[in-house]
Amino acid sequence: MEELEQNKIFLRALITDSIVTISPIEPYRALNVIMSIPEEIPFKFSRDERYEIYRNLIQDYPVLENFYNKKFRGLNNSLTQDERNTLKGLCQWLIQELHAWDNTEDKKAKRLSLMFIISNILTENLWELIPFSVINNTKINDFLAGRFDRFQCNIEIPQQQKVPIWEKEAAQQYMEAIKERDWQHLANNWHIWGNSPRLDQANTFQYQIFLFLLNYSPEQLISAAERYEDFISLMLICKEHSFSLLQRFQLALDTQNELFRFVLLFSLKLNNNKYHDLTDAEADCFAGIFQKIGNNVDQLRHWLMIFNRYPVRFPIFADGFGVYVAKYASETEIDLYLESIQAEAINLQNGYYDTREILGKTFQKFAAVAECDVRKLFWNKCYCKYLAWNFGYVEDHYYLNAVHLSNIDYALVGYFVECNDQSGREEIAQSILKSIDSIFTKKWYASQSDVTTEFYNLLSKLQPICYAGEVDKDALASWLMKPEKIYYSNIFYIDERYRMAFSLRDT
């Protein structure tokens, strides 16, 4: 990632130098090849045509040979002075061509497509490095906005006799889901097609149109995409990471095309490690997206289930959801948000804490942003959800044999800190302790497993109460309990029955 940023710095400086110091170098060999291709708008070059274009480009610009490896090593360290001068001449040709380009002279967009092929080789998003004032040609924007939706990439339904029928049916069902905006089907079945080698990358010409308009005229990009129904092409474009999160979220906020908005978010699934945590501006923009979706309650319910049911798929959204619940969600929408969260019991010794930590991050952001009355409302709703869940008591095969955490522990500590004082916490703790005592004095159980489960259920419920009495109310980062510590009441040290019956360990 650091090498990528260094390459951008290098190219930006090189482009600046090329404007005043170097004569343009024209790729006349590659131009001859591309002009001979009959395709009107060159979205679909054949493999042989692409090979010929690249082969001749390397003859025009020897510096482009193995350019990917040179970028990987770092352009500043891997290029000779002659190669730098050639690269400057190439950039100067690009800039002059873009400045003078006119669709009346390049009706089939051949010269423009070659420029996009070259820019894609240099770096996927060259346009973020060149100020539009240097190009200063709005004719290109207008032309590209009218060409963005010319490319279609559909799932090919296999027709061969030996192809399993389920593949044909799956393709038909997916195309129907796109048409019907069946968000759950789109989300749950994209892996069937997203891993196909036939759909491994976006079309270069269309992708460069997207990046060009995104940097120089995002309003025209939004307009061009308003009625674009090609879900596959949009996914291939948006799964790339050559544009910023803020640009991505701003597009999703501004577009009226729900399919485009969905793709901009869903394409981040399990593919967001290239990004940092959200800035305040990014989190607020993301929150605005879900506020806008809230106009359609049914759609909001589906999208929350897709993007928040399993937070490990979209960890980058954690802060954004915190801002959304804190600032924009109505009480009904808060209920929908909590409905999308899956409460889980996490074993202290061998549990997986990713979901718990991601939700903790969301709740911490919420606590930092929300007004006091909103926080109390939310903590109360979380506590009610927690009590109704009861560590999975209503689920099949319910059994506990150790103290467990929960995914929403942060919110529970928030409830016991902000919605209860010390006496209130003590009252709840004493009620739980009485129930624990009844294990030996008042109840009969069908099996030893039932006794053990009842004990550890109650002991697990004591954890956030005891912890809330220790935390600093103003230190929001400390509200998530540490998994390595168990909070016992003194009664378990005094009364040997518990230590003997349940083999309690020291902490």
Side-chain angles (χ1 to χ4, degrees):
M1 195 69 177
E2 181 179 351
E3 201 61 66
L4 177 61
E5 292 303 317
Q6 291 299 320
N7 286 342
K8 288 182 180 180
I9 294 172
F10 173 84
L11 286 172
R12 184 180 282 111
L14 186 139
I15 290 167
T16 301
D17 290 344
S18 73
I19 295 174
V20 294
T21 61
I22 298 292
S23 299
I25 302 175
E26 183 177 86
Y28 64 91
R29 295 183 183 87
L31 274 172
N32 288 337
V33 172
I34 206 166
M35 289 298 183
S36 66
I37 297 174
E39 187 79 24
E40 179 182 358
I41 301 295
F43 282 118
K44 296 182 179 179
F45 292 136
S46 69
R47 184 184 297 274
D48 291 340
E49 288 169 342
R50 288 198 301 269
Y51 173 78
E52 278 301 302
I53 293 170
Y54 282 107
R55 186 176 69 83
N56 283 274
L57 266 178
I58 291 172
Q59 293 184 45
D60 291 324
Y61 306 113
V63 65
L64 296 183
E65 187 171 14
N66 297 321
F67 200 70
Y68 178 83
N69 292 331
K70 293 173 183 177
K71 288 191 290 185
F72 182 78
R73 298 197 309 270
L75 293 176
N76 192 44
N77 300 321
S78 61
L79 299 182
T80 66
Q81 188 58 50
D82 287 343
E83 288 175 327
R84 294 181 188 218
N85 290 336
T86 300
L87 210 53
K88 288 181 182 180
L90 183 159
C91 291
Q92 179 65 351
W93 177 80
L94 274 176
I95 290 171
Q96 287 193 7
E97 284 291 311
L98 290 169
H99 178 72
W101 187 86
D102 191 322
N103 64 299
T104 60
E105 298 177 4
D106 188 23
K107 294 182 180 179
K108 295 185 178 181
K110 300 297 180 64
R111 296 180 74 89
L112 190 58
S113 65
L114 182 59
M115 287 184 260
F116 282 174
I117 289 172
I118 293 172
S119 69
N120 192 68
I121 294 173
L122 295 179
T123 181
E124 286 187 12
N125 194 352
L126 183 67
W127 319 116
E128 66 178 347
L129 309 179
I130 306 176
F132 188 71
S133 58
V134 174
I135 298 173
N136 194 26
N137 186 352
T138 57
K139 292 179 181 179
I140 300 179
N141 298 353
D142 297 337
F143 177 81
L144 294 180
R147 293 299 186 273
F148 178 72
D149 62 353
R150 291 285 186 92
F151 182 73
Q152 298 292 322
C153 182
N154 296 320
I155 299 172
E156 296 181 8
I157 302 176
Q159 299 299 321
Q160 295 90 338
Q161 185 176 359
K162 294 183 179 180
V163 172
I165 191 171
W166 72 264
E167 291 190 12
K168 299 179 182 180
E169 292 176 346
Q172 293 169 340
Q173 290 170 3
Y174 205 75
M175 299 307 293
E176 187 66 23
I178 295 171
K179 181 180 178 182
E180 298 296 326
R181 300 296 193 265
D182 185 343
W183 307 114
Q184 295 283 359
H185 188 94
L186 293 179
N188 294 338
N189 294 277
W190 168 247
H191 68 279
I192 298 174
W193 320 108
N195 296 325
S196 170
R198 293 174 300 186
L199 304 175
D200 58 343
Q201 62 183 27
N203 175 270
T204 298
F205 191 72
Q206 189 188 35
Y207 185 38
Q208 288 298 313
I209 291 175
F210 176 88
L211 294 175
F212 193 95
L213 293 176
L214 176 63
N215 284 278
Y216 297 143
S217 185
E219 65 281 357
Q220 285 183 287
L221 173 60
I222 290 170
S223 177
E226 282 309 294
R227 294 179 178 83
Y228 193 40
E229 296 288 302
D230 188 355
F231 178 83
I232 308 298
S233 290
L234 290 175
M235 278 295 296
L236 297 181
I237 288 172
C238 294
K239 76 175 184 178
E240 302 296 339
H241 297 269
S242 297
F243 52 105
S244 72
L245 275 174
L246 187 58
Q247 286 177 309
R248 179 185 293 269
F249 292 159
Q250 194 63 55
L251 281 178
L253 180 63
D254 292 342
T255 185
Q256 299 301 315
N257 185 340
E258 296 290 351
L259 199 65
F260 187 29
R261 177 179 292 141
F262 179 81
V263 166
L264 284 161
L265 300 183
F266 185 72
S267 55
L268 287 171
K269 178 183 178 182
L270 297 177
N271 194 19
N272 47 53
N273 60 337
K274 295 177 182 289
Y275 293 122
H276 51 72
D277 292 339
L278 298 189
T279 64
D280 289 343
E282 290 164 350
D284 197 70
C285 191
F286 175 87
I289 295 168
F290 274 82
Q291 180 194 27
K292 195 169 187 178
I293 297 169
N295 294 326
N296 184 330
V297 174
D298 185 59
Q299 181 181 338
L300 178 63
R301 177 181 286 106
H302 284 294
W303 283 38
L304 285 172
M305 292 296 290
I306 291 168
F307 294 111
N308 197 53
R309 182 69 165 179
Y310 302 103
V312 292
R313 295 176 179 174
F314 301 95
I316 196 69
F317 296 163
D319 285 340
F321 274 123
V323 175
Y324 164 67
V325 177
K327 295 175 59 176
Y328 300 118
S330 66
E331 185 171 351
T332 299
E333 290 163 358
I334 290 175
D335 290 336
L336 289 177
Y337 171 82
L338 289 175
E339 180 184 314
S340 70
I341 294 174
Q342 185 176 20
E344 293 179 309
I346 302 169
N347 189 297
L348 287 161
Q349 281 71 50
N350 52 25
Y352 297 93
Y353 307 115
D354 289 352
T355 296
R356 182 173 180 267
E357 290 176 353
I358 294 167
L359 288 177
K361 190 175 180 181
T362 295
F363 298 149
Q364 181 180 336
K365 188 68 174 182
F366 165 82
V369 174
E371 298 292 337
C372 181
D373 57 338
V374 177
R375 290 201 306 273
K376 289 184 176 181
L377 173 67
F378 184 71
W379 301 144
N380 269 286
K381 287 180 177 293
C382 288
Y383 187 58
C384 290
K385 179 182 180 73
Y386 174 75
L387 292 178
W389 167 60
N390 196 14
F391 278 94
Y393 186 79
V394 297
E395 300 171 4
D396 292 336
H397 310 296
Y398 168 66
Y399 177 67
L400 299 180
N401 63 352
V403 174
H404 280 64
L405 302 171
S406 82
N407 283 344
I408 59 174
D409 278 342
Y410 189 103
L412 301 178
V413 173
Y415 170 79
F416 290 117
V417 169
E418 295 199 319
C419 302
N420 292 268
D421 55 18
Q422 181 61 39
S423 62
R425 290 192 293 270
E426 185 63 28
E427 183 179 345
I428 298 173
Q430 288 302 319
S431 175
I432 294 174
L433 290 172
K434 288 180 181 178
S435 296
I436 291 176
D437 185 61
S438 71
I439 289 175
F440 291 113
T441 61
K442 297 179 181 178
K443 289 188 177 181
W444 285 90
Y445 294 88
S447 68
Q448 178 64 36
S449 295
D450 289 345
V451 178
T452 303
T453 295
E454 176 76 4
F455 174 73
Y456 281 111
N457 176 295
L458 294 167
L459 191 54
S460 297
K461 290 176 181 176
L462 270 180
Q463 304 305 299
I465 304 172
C466 296
Y467 184 73
E470 298 183 5
V471 300
D472 181 348
K473 183 177 181 179
D474 298 321
L476 298 178
S478 69
W479 286 15
L480 190 63
M481 289 185 292
K482 305 300 184 289
E484 61 271 11
K485 185 174 182 181
I486 299 176
Y487 296 88
Y488 288 152
S489 172
N490 288 334
I491 187 175
F492 304 120
Y493 293 103
I494 299 170
D495 194 331
E496 288 295 324
R497 292 178 302 171
Y498 299 100
R499 302 177 68 80
M500 293 174 61
F502 302 107
S503 301
L504 296 181
R505 64 181 178 87
D506 293 330
T507 59

